[in-house]
Amino acid sequence: MIAEKMKPYVKNNSAIRMMFEEGNRLRAIYGPENVFDFSLGNPSVPAPDCVRQAIIDLVNEEEPTVLHGYMSNAGFEDVRQTIAESLNRRFGTSFAAKNLIMTVGAASGLNVAFKTILNPGEEVIVFAPYFLEYGAYVRNYDGNLVEISPDTTTFQPNLKEFEEKITPKTRAVIVNTPHNPTGVVYSEETIRKLTSILEAKQKEFGTVIYLISDEPYRELAYDGVQVPYLTKYYVNTIVGYSYSKSLSLPGERIGYLVIPDEADGSEELIAAAAIANRTIGCVNAPSMIQKVIAKCVDAEVDVAAYDKNRLALYNGLKELGFECIKPQGAFYLFVKSPVTDEKAFCEAGKKYNILMVPGSSFACPGYVRLAYCVSYDTIMNSLPQFGKLAEEFGLKA
């Protein structure tokens, strides 16, 4: 009764969402305070006060037919100009309204980008571990996903394998930094090496390869770590951004694409992306939240709250004998499973009301992801339960 293309998606329904639903079941039985749900990257820090005030002011002052009406498929021009000017101040870029397409979050933005650039059979390269729905987005437009195996020592991109797997069919490369699920930030050295490889391969094959920078976690970086802005390193970069994490607005579904003037065929790309925004079914990004963003464009996320959680969970698990890389950004901890089958480890965690996502959901088995965008109390109360789990698997601090 359903399309053949949908059958594998139904069969392999997102493990993250399934674990989230399991959390709802356990909370109903044991109470929310006794369930330690690290499954979903749902921000626990409230949106800045300016968001609430902007909504109130817009509802009270803006003409309703404008506030809730249609606009250009690319979004309100004044909103796009405001965001462009903010980016220019922060990163020394030279964008204008025309370089931005307002999208229904980063996920829709990536779909817009792939619909714009992908022909059937062309390849998109991803670095494992990666957000598994990248594959679904690429297959939506009959592209082929090419995985680069993980470097589990640093979780920086495996550039040797990357260079070997670029072909004349390579159309795009996705990078995600700060990174989901590891929390790693790709260093400037890594970015320079990666883009140098892309420049050489474009010349070798006489093709255009777009670098798609998926950036929902850009503002979540710790210890003074700098996150390179990739349009400054490679002209054929398309940036996908979301306010879901930086302003704690995941349910509002608002983000944008940046297509720089320097990108090959930028004028045609921008025009096609605006049409793709319409034809994938979004028509345009939500009108009111666009205007809210314009009023809050320079608001800052409370990174300190996530940093406190990061250190408490990382240090707590290390003391219990778990192995994990210290995250530099985002709000995820990628922990090595004490047994080869990390799904068995996740199942064992449920006995202690601990919910984790298996690394195989990110094409990196043998690890589990913990989303520490929860309350500080949840983290501290979970550590004794993690201690019981560590003891079950024979870990020693």
Side-chain angles (χ1 to χ4, degrees), residues 249-369:
L249 298 173
E252 298 298 342
R253 310 310 306 139
I254 187 67
Y256 59 77
L257 289 178
V258 174
I259 302 174
D261 286 338
E262 295 80 10
D264 285 356
S266 62
E267 188 173 334
E268 188 176 21
L269 277 177
I270 291 166
I275 294 169
N277 207 26
R278 181 179 78 233
T279 59
I280 67 171
C282 294
V283 181
N284 54 254
S287 59
M288 185 170 73
I289 200 67
Q290 284 191 52
K291 290 182 172 289
V292 169
I293 293 301
K295 288 179 175 290
C296 302
V297 72
D298 291 321
E300 295 184 357
V301 63
D302 182 11
V303 175
Y306 292 130
D307 193 18
K308 183 179 179 181
N309 286 359
R310 173 184 74 120
L311 295 175
L313 188 60
Y314 173 76
N315 291 329
L317 292 185
K318 290 286 283 185
E319 288 172 8
L320 292 170
F322 290 101
E323 293 182 41
C324 48
I325 190 167
K326 189 175 185 179
Q328 300 169 296
F331 40 50
Y332 304 111
L333 199 62
F334 209 49
V335 181
K336 188 173 182 179
S337 169
V339 290
T340 303
D341 182 1
E342 88 281 7
K343 292 181 180 178
F345 179 58
C346 289
E347 281 299 312
K350 291 180 187 178
K351 291 187 292 187
Y352 306 101
N353 290 344
I354 296 171
L355 300 179
M356 305 172 283
V357 180
S360 49
S361 295
F362 304 95
C364 190
Y367 289 79
V368 298
R369 190 193 76 170

Side-chain angles (χ1 to χ4, degrees), residues 16-27:
I16 301 171
R17 288 287 173 173
M18 289 174 69
M19 199 64 74
F20 178 68
E21 295 301 331
E22 176 69 1
N24 288 337
R25 187 186 73 83
L26 293 176
R27 280 185 282 272

Side-chain angles (χ1 to χ4, degrees), residues 51-78:
V51 171
R52 181 195 299 268
Q53 192 58 53
I55 293 170
I56 292 170
D57 291 346
L58 286 164
V59 169
N60 288 335
E61 300 168 8
E62 188 84 35
E63 168 60 41
T65 56
V66 174
L67 182 61
H68 305 296
Y70 282 135
M71 79 299 296
S72 162
N73 296 132
F76 289 114
E77 184 169 2
D78 62 326

